[in-house]
Amino acid sequence: MYWTSWFLAALAVVLAWPVPVFLARATWPARAPFAAMVLWQSIALAGGLSMIGAMLCYGLVPLGNNLASGLRGLVRIFLGTESLDTLGLIHAFALSAAALLSAHLVFTLWLTYFRIQQQRRRHRDLLNILSSPSNDRPGTVVINHQAPVAYCLPGGSRSVTVLSDGLLELLSPEELRAVLLHEQTHLTQHHHLLLWAFAAWRSALPWLPTSKLAQRAVSSLIEIMADDVALRSVSKSTLVTAIALVASGSAQLPAAALVQDSSAQIDTPATTSARLSRLLTPAPSLGAGLQALIVVGALLLLAVPTALLVVPGILPQ
Protein backbone atom coordinates (compact mmCIF):
# COMPACT_ATOMS: atom_id res chain seq x y z
CA MET A 1 0.00 0.00 0.00
CA TYR A 2 3.02 2.26 0.24
CA TRP A 3 3.13 3.10 -3.45
CA THR A 4 -0.65 3.28 -3.61
CA SER A 5 -0.63 6.01 -0.96
CA TRP A 6 1.94 8.05 -2.87
CA PHE A 7 0.12 7.62 -6.17
CA LEU A 8 -3.15 8.76 -4.56
CA ALA A 9 -1.36 11.73 -3.00
CA ALA A 10 0.01 12.76 -6.39
CA LEU A 11 -3.44 12.35 -7.96
CA ALA A 12 -4.98 14.48 -5.20
CA VAL A 13 -2.46 17.28 -5.87
CA VAL A 14 -3.12 17.19 -9.62
CA LEU A 15 -6.88 17.31 -9.10
CA ALA A 16 -6.58 20.07 -6.52
CA TRP A 17 -4.63 22.55 -8.62
CA PRO A 18 -3.69 22.22 -12.31
CA VAL A 19 -6.72 20.26 -13.52
CA PRO A 20 -9.47 22.56 -12.13
CA VAL A 21 -7.53 25.68 -13.15
CA PHE A 22 -7.13 24.36 -16.69
CA LEU A 23 -10.79 23.33 -16.93
CA ALA A 24 -12.03 26.65 -15.51
CA ARG A 25 -10.11 28.50 -18.25
CA ALA A 26 -11.33 26.25 -21.06
CA THR A 27 -14.06 27.45 -23.42
CA TRP A 28 -15.49 24.08 -24.44
CA PRO A 29 -17.65 23.46 -21.30
CA ALA A 30 -20.23 25.97 -22.55
CA ARG A 31 -20.49 23.86 -25.73
CA ALA A 32 -21.03 20.63 -23.78
CA PRO A 33 -22.51 21.60 -20.41
CA PHE A 34 -23.69 18.14 -19.37
CA ALA A 35 -20.31 16.53 -20.07
CA ALA A 36 -18.55 19.37 -18.28
CA MET A 37 -20.86 18.98 -15.29
CA VAL A 38 -20.06 15.26 -15.04
CA LEU A 39 -16.34 16.04 -15.30
CA TRP A 40 -16.47 18.63 -12.50
CA GLN A 41 -18.27 16.15 -10.26
CA SER A 42 -15.69 13.46 -11.02
CA ILE A 43 -12.81 15.84 -10.26
CA ALA A 44 -14.33 16.78 -6.91
CA LEU A 45 -15.17 13.20 -5.91
CA ALA A 46 -11.92 11.69 -7.15
CA GLY A 47 -9.92 14.48 -5.50
CA GLY A 48 -11.60 13.99 -2.13
CA LEU A 49 -11.29 10.21 -2.34
CA SER A 50 -7.61 10.50 -3.28
CA MET A 51 -6.83 12.83 -0.37
CA ILE A 52 -8.50 10.58 2.19
CA GLY A 53 -7.26 7.40 0.52
CA ALA A 54 -3.64 8.54 0.44
CA MET A 55 -3.58 9.16 4.19
CA LEU A 56 -5.54 6.00 4.92
CA CYS A 57 -3.30 3.75 2.84
CA TYR A 58 -0.10 5.25 4.24
CA GLY A 59 -1.39 4.85 7.78
CA LEU A 60 -2.25 1.20 7.21
CA VAL A 61 1.09 0.23 5.62
CA PRO A 62 2.43 -1.54 8.78
CA LEU A 63 -0.82 -3.50 9.20
CA GLY A 64 -1.33 -5.18 5.84
CA ASN A 65 -0.60 -5.37 2.12
CA ASN A 66 -4.00 -4.03 1.05
CA LEU A 67 -6.87 -1.98 2.43
CA ALA A 68 -8.86 -4.96 3.68
CA SER A 69 -5.98 -6.57 5.58
CA GLY A 70 -4.89 -3.19 6.91
CA LEU A 71 -8.35 -2.44 8.26
CA ARG A 72 -8.49 -5.86 9.87
CA GLY A 73 -5.21 -5.09 11.60
CA LEU A 74 -6.62 -1.75 12.76
CA VAL A 75 -9.63 -3.53 14.23
CA ARG A 76 -7.30 -5.88 16.11
CA ILE A 77 -5.54 -2.85 17.61
CA PHE A 78 -8.85 -1.37 18.73
CA LEU A 79 -9.85 -4.71 20.25
CA GLY A 80 -6.53 -4.93 22.09
CA THR A 81 -5.36 -8.14 20.42
CA GLU A 82 -2.50 -6.35 18.69
CA SER A 83 -0.13 -3.74 20.08
CA LEU A 84 -0.48 -0.10 19.09
CA ASP A 85 3.31 -0.05 18.70
CA THR A 86 2.82 -2.01 15.49
CA LEU A 87 1.36 1.09 13.91
CA GLY A 88 3.96 3.70 14.81
CA LEU A 89 3.53 7.43 15.43
CA ILE A 90 3.68 8.66 11.83
CA HIS A 91 1.22 6.08 10.55
CA ALA A 92 -1.12 6.71 13.48
CA PHE A 93 -1.03 10.43 12.61
CA ALA A 94 -1.90 9.66 8.97
CA LEU A 95 -4.87 7.54 10.03
CA SER A 96 -6.05 10.26 12.41
CA ALA A 97 -5.80 12.84 9.63
CA ALA A 98 -7.82 10.61 7.27
CA ALA A 99 -10.50 10.11 9.91
CA LEU A 100 -10.65 13.81 10.77
CA LEU A 101 -10.87 14.88 7.10
CA SER A 102 -13.64 12.34 6.44
CA ALA A 103 -15.58 13.51 9.47
CA HIS A 104 -15.03 17.15 8.50
CA LEU A 105 -16.38 16.60 4.99
CA VAL A 106 -19.44 14.67 6.18
CA PHE A 107 -20.18 17.18 8.93
CA THR A 108 -19.81 20.14 6.55
CA LEU A 109 -22.15 18.46 4.07
CA TRP A 110 -24.76 18.05 6.80
CA LEU A 111 -24.17 21.56 8.19
CA THR A 112 -24.55 23.12 4.74
CA TYR A 113 -27.79 21.20 4.21
CA PHE A 114 -29.07 22.38 7.61
CA ARG A 115 -28.20 26.01 6.86
CA ILE A 116 -29.85 25.87 3.44
CA GLN A 117 -32.98 24.37 4.95
CA GLN A 118 -33.05 27.21 7.49
CA GLN A 119 -32.59 29.78 4.74
CA ARG A 120 -35.38 28.25 2.70
CA ARG A 121 -37.70 28.27 5.69
CA ARG A 122 -37.03 31.98 6.35
CA HIS A 123 -37.24 32.71 2.64
CA ARG A 124 -40.59 30.97 2.34
CA ASP A 125 -41.91 32.86 5.38
CA LEU A 126 -40.94 36.15 3.69
CA LEU A 127 -42.63 35.06 0.48
CA ASN A 128 -45.81 34.31 2.41
CA ILE A 129 -45.80 37.96 3.49
CA LEU A 130 -44.58 39.63 0.29
CA SER A 131 -46.22 37.53 -2.40
CA SER A 132 -49.51 36.02 -3.52
CA PRO A 133 -50.17 32.81 -5.51
CA SER A 134 -50.50 33.16 -9.26
CA ASN A 135 -54.05 32.44 -10.41
CA ASP A 136 -53.15 30.82 -13.72
CA ARG A 137 -49.68 29.37 -13.03
CA PRO A 138 -49.50 26.51 -10.50
CA GLY A 139 -46.39 26.55 -8.31
CA THR A 140 -45.81 30.25 -8.98
CA VAL A 141 -46.07 33.23 -6.63
CA VAL A 142 -46.02 36.92 -7.50
CA ILE A 143 -44.27 39.70 -5.57
CA ASN A 144 -45.92 43.10 -5.63
CA HIS A 145 -42.98 45.15 -6.96
CA GLN A 146 -42.14 46.92 -10.21
CA ALA A 147 -38.60 45.54 -10.57
CA PRO A 148 -38.50 42.67 -13.12
CA VAL A 149 -37.50 39.66 -11.03
CA ALA A 150 -37.72 35.88 -11.54
CA TYR A 151 -36.11 33.00 -9.66
CA CYS A 152 -37.02 29.64 -8.18
CA LEU A 153 -36.98 28.40 -4.61
CA PRO A 154 -36.55 24.61 -4.40
CA GLY A 155 -38.29 22.61 -1.73
CA GLY A 156 -39.64 19.32 -3.06
CA SER A 157 -43.43 19.51 -3.31
CA ARG A 158 -43.25 23.07 -1.97
CA SER A 159 -40.95 24.34 -4.74
CA VAL A 160 -42.07 27.65 -6.21
CA THR A 161 -41.14 30.01 -9.00
CA VAL A 162 -41.13 33.64 -7.91
CA LEU A 163 -42.10 36.43 -10.31
CA SER A 164 -42.72 40.12 -9.78
CA ASP A 165 -45.56 42.32 -11.01
CA GLY A 166 -42.96 44.37 -12.87
CA LEU A 167 -41.77 41.32 -14.76
CA LEU A 168 -45.31 40.32 -15.74
CA GLU A 169 -45.96 43.83 -17.07
CA LEU A 170 -42.64 44.14 -18.88
CA LEU A 171 -42.30 40.77 -20.61
CA SER A 172 -44.30 39.58 -23.56
CA PRO A 173 -46.15 36.25 -23.19
CA GLU A 174 -43.42 34.44 -25.14
CA GLU A 175 -40.62 36.03 -23.07
CA LEU A 176 -42.41 35.11 -19.89
CA ARG A 177 -42.75 31.55 -21.19
CA ALA A 178 -38.98 31.45 -21.73
CA VAL A 179 -38.36 32.58 -18.14
CA LEU A 180 -40.77 30.01 -16.72
CA LEU A 181 -39.24 27.20 -18.79
CA HIS A 182 -35.78 28.17 -17.55
CA GLU A 183 -36.80 28.27 -13.89
CA GLN A 184 -38.85 25.08 -14.09
CA THR A 185 -35.84 23.28 -15.55
CA HIS A 186 -33.86 24.13 -12.41
CA LEU A 187 -36.56 22.52 -10.32
CA THR A 188 -37.25 19.43 -12.45
CA GLN A 189 -33.54 18.65 -12.91
CA HIS A 190 -32.85 19.25 -9.20
CA HIS A 191 -30.00 21.66 -9.81
CA HIS A 192 -30.16 22.76 -6.18
CA LEU A 193 -28.69 19.41 -5.14
CA LEU A 194 -25.58 20.10 -7.22
CA LEU A 195 -25.29 23.57 -5.73
CA TRP A 196 -25.64 22.12 -2.25
CA ALA A 197 -22.88 19.55 -2.80
CA PHE A 198 -20.42 22.06 -4.25
CA ALA A 199 -21.28 24.70 -1.64
CA ALA A 200 -20.47 22.13 1.05
CA TRP A 201 -17.22 21.24 -0.73
CA ARG A 202 -16.18 24.89 -0.77
CA SER A 203 -17.15 25.40 2.88
CA ALA A 204 -15.17 22.34 3.91
CA LEU A 205 -12.03 23.22 1.95
CA PRO A 206 -12.16 26.96 1.14
CA TRP A 207 -8.40 27.07 0.50
CA LEU A 208 -8.63 24.43 -2.23
CA PRO A 209 -8.78 25.84 -5.79
CA THR A 210 -11.00 22.96 -6.86
CA SER A 211 -13.77 23.94 -4.47
CA LYS A 212 -13.93 27.58 -5.50
CA LEU A 213 -13.56 27.06 -9.23
CA ALA A 214 -15.96 24.12 -9.26
CA GLN A 215 -18.71 26.04 -7.48
CA ARG A 216 -18.47 28.91 -9.96
CA ALA A 217 -18.36 26.58 -12.96
CA VAL A 218 -21.29 24.47 -11.79
CA SER A 219 -23.40 27.57 -11.11
CA SER A 220 -22.77 28.74 -14.67
CA LEU A 221 -23.30 25.30 -16.23
CA ILE A 222 -26.72 24.76 -14.67
CA GLU A 223 -27.86 28.11 -16.09
CA ILE A 224 -26.62 27.08 -19.52
CA MET A 225 -28.41 23.74 -19.26
CA ALA A 226 -31.66 25.50 -18.28
CA ASP A 227 -31.23 27.90 -21.22
CA ASP A 228 -30.80 24.97 -23.61
CA VAL A 229 -34.09 23.48 -22.44
CA ALA A 230 -35.87 26.81 -22.91
CA LEU A 231 -34.40 27.14 -26.42
CA ARG A 232 -36.27 24.01 -27.47
CA SER A 233 -39.54 25.94 -27.16
CA VAL A 234 -38.69 29.62 -27.70
CA SER A 235 -36.48 31.57 -30.08
CA LYS A 236 -32.99 32.70 -29.18
CA SER A 237 -33.89 36.38 -29.47
CA THR A 238 -36.81 35.88 -27.09
CA LEU A 239 -34.61 34.19 -24.50
CA VAL A 240 -31.87 36.85 -24.79
CA THR A 241 -34.40 39.63 -24.22
CA ALA A 242 -35.93 37.80 -21.26
CA ILE A 243 -32.52 37.20 -19.63
CA ALA A 244 -31.52 40.85 -20.03
CA LEU A 245 -34.79 42.15 -18.61
CA VAL A 246 -34.73 39.79 -15.63
CA ALA A 247 -31.09 40.68 -14.90
CA SER A 248 -31.93 44.37 -14.89
CA GLY A 249 -34.26 43.92 -11.94
CA SER A 250 -32.43 41.51 -9.64
CA ALA A 251 -30.56 44.23 -7.75
CA GLN A 252 -33.76 46.22 -7.20
CA LEU A 253 -35.76 43.52 -5.45
CA PRO A 254 -37.03 44.60 -2.03
CA ALA A 255 -36.07 42.61 1.04
CA ALA A 256 -32.43 42.11 0.13
CA ALA A 257 -32.45 38.90 2.13
CA LEU A 258 -34.38 37.27 -0.68
CA VAL A 259 -31.76 38.05 -3.28
CA GLN A 260 -28.84 37.10 -1.05
CA ASP A 261 -30.42 33.82 0.01
CA SER A 262 -28.18 31.04 -1.28
CA SER A 263 -31.07 28.58 -1.19
CA ALA A 264 -32.80 30.38 -4.08
CA GLN A 265 -31.78 29.89 -7.70
CA ILE A 266 -30.70 33.45 -8.51
CA ASP A 267 -28.31 34.56 -11.26
CA THR A 268 -25.13 36.52 -10.55
CA PRO A 269 -24.01 39.32 -12.91
CA ALA A 270 -21.05 37.22 -14.07
CA THR A 271 -23.29 34.26 -14.89
CA THR A 272 -25.80 36.48 -16.70
CA SER A 273 -23.00 37.98 -18.79
CA ALA A 274 -21.72 34.51 -19.70
CA ARG A 275 -25.21 33.35 -20.67
CA LEU A 276 -25.82 36.35 -22.92
CA SER A 277 -22.39 36.08 -24.52
CA ARG A 278 -22.98 32.42 -25.31
CA LEU A 279 -26.34 33.15 -26.92
CA LEU A 280 -25.23 36.23 -28.86
CA THR A 281 -21.98 34.72 -30.15
CA PRO A 282 -22.80 31.00 -30.34
CA ALA A 283 -20.17 28.35 -30.90
CA PRO A 284 -21.01 24.95 -32.37
CA SER A 285 -21.75 22.21 -29.87
CA LEU A 286 -19.19 19.48 -29.38
CA GLY A 287 -19.96 16.33 -31.29
CA ALA A 288 -21.90 13.60 -29.55
CA GLY A 289 -18.92 11.25 -29.79
CA LEU A 290 -16.58 13.74 -28.15
CA GLN A 291 -19.07 14.48 -25.40
CA ALA A 292 -19.47 10.76 -24.74
CA LEU A 293 -15.69 10.44 -24.59
CA ILE A 294 -15.51 13.21 -21.98
CA VAL A 295 -18.17 11.51 -19.85
CA VAL A 296 -16.38 8.16 -20.10
CA GLY A 297 -13.09 9.85 -19.19
CA ALA A 298 -14.74 11.46 -16.16
CA LEU A 299 -16.07 8.10 -14.99
CA LEU A 300 -12.65 6.51 -15.47
CA LEU A 301 -11.09 9.33 -13.46
CA LEU A 302 -13.37 8.49 -10.56
CA ALA A 303 -12.71 4.77 -11.02
CA VAL A 304 -8.92 5.16 -10.61
CA PRO A 305 -8.77 6.01 -6.88
CA THR A 306 -11.69 3.67 -6.21
CA ALA A 307 -9.91 0.74 -7.84
CA LEU A 308 -6.61 1.53 -6.10
CA LEU A 309 -8.36 1.39 -2.75
CA VAL A 310 -10.54 -1.68 -3.17
CA VAL A 311 -8.60 -3.89 -5.60
CA PRO A 312 -5.42 -5.35 -4.06
CA GLY A 313 -2.24 -5.71 -6.05
CA ILE A 314 -2.77 -2.99 -8.69
CA LEU A 315 0.45 -1.25 -7.63
CA PRO A 316 3.53 -2.89 -6.05
CA GLN A 317 3.32 -3.05 -2.29
Side-chain angles (χ1 to χ4, degrees), residues 16-295:
W17 184 263
V19 170
V21 170
F22 176 79
L23 183 56
R25 293 175 178 174
T27 58
W28 68 262
R31 301 165 56 195
F34 175 78
M37 182 76 75
V38 173
L39 183 56
W40 272 114
Q41 293 178 75
S42 294
I43 290 172
L45 290 171
L49 190 59
S50 297
M51 282 191 290
I52 296 172
M55 293 182 287
L56 180 63
C57 287
Y58 185 79
L60 293 175
V61 165
L63 302 179
N65 293 327
N66 55 62
L67 185 63
S69 61
L71 289 174
R72 286 195 296 268
L74 188 61
V75 170
R76 290 194 296 270
I77 290 177
F78 279 119
L79 294 176
T81 60
E82 189 169 338
S83 173
L84 182 60
D85 294 337
T86 307
L87 197 57
L89 181 61
I90 296 178
H91 296 285
F93 177 81
L95 287 176
S96 299
L100 287 173
L101 179 58
S102 300
H104 176 60
L105 291 176
V106 172
F107 176 75
T108 305
L109 187 66
W110 173 84
L111 184 61
T112 303
Y113 174 80
F114 176 77
R115 287 175 175 170
I116 288 177
Q117 289 298 101
Q118 292 291 98
Q119 286 179 337
R120 287 178 185 165
R121 193 172 296 112
R122 292 193 298 267
H123 196 141
R124 198 166 278 109
D125 289 341
L126 283 171
L127 286 177
N128 290 336
I129 298 172
L130 299 174
S131 67
S132 57
S134 173
N135 294 326
D136 54 348
R137 300 179 185 88
T140 303
V141 297
V142 180
I143 296 175
N144 182 19
H145 196 268
Q146 290 306 304
V149 175
Y151 63 91
C152 61
L153 180 64
S157 61
R158 301 176 64 192
S159 298
V160 294
T161 299
V162 182
L163 308 175
S164 68
D165 285 333
L167 186 78
L168 297 177
E169 295 172 2
L170 185 62
L171 265 59
S172 68
E174 195 67 5
E175 291 164 352
L176 180 59
R177 181 164 173 256
V179 170
L180 290 173
L181 286 169
H182 178 97
E183 301 301 337
Q184 288 165 5
T185 300
H186 286 317
L187 297 175
T188 57
Q189 295 187 1
H190 304 289
H191 289 162
H192 57 284
L193 297 179
L194 287 170
L195 293 178
W196 162 49
F198 282 94
W201 180 253
R202 184 173 182 180
S203 296
L205 303 170
W207 45 268
L208 194 66
T210 306
S211 62
K212 182 178 180 179
L213 294 174
Q215 187 181 33
R216 289 178 180 175
V218 167
S219 296
S220 179
L221 287 171
I222 63 175
E223 297 299 333
I224 290 174
M225 292 169 69
D227 283 343
D228 286 346
V229 172
L231 283 174
R232 298 172 189 169
S233 303
V234 300
S235 67
K236 184 179 297 184
S237 60
T238 297
L239 181 59
V240 167
T241 303
I243 292 172
L245 291 174
V246 171
S248 69
S250 295
Q252 306 173 44
L253 181 63
L258 292 181
V259 177
Q260 298 302 323
D261 184 356
S262 62
S263 70
Q265 205 79 38
I266 303 174
D267 247 355
T268 64
T271 302
T272 299
S273 176
R275 292 169 63 194
L276 291 174
S277 176
R278 174 178 180 265
L279 292 170
L280 293 172
T281 56
S285 299
L286 294 185
L290 186 54
Q291 293 190 48
L293 187 62
I294 294 171
V295 172

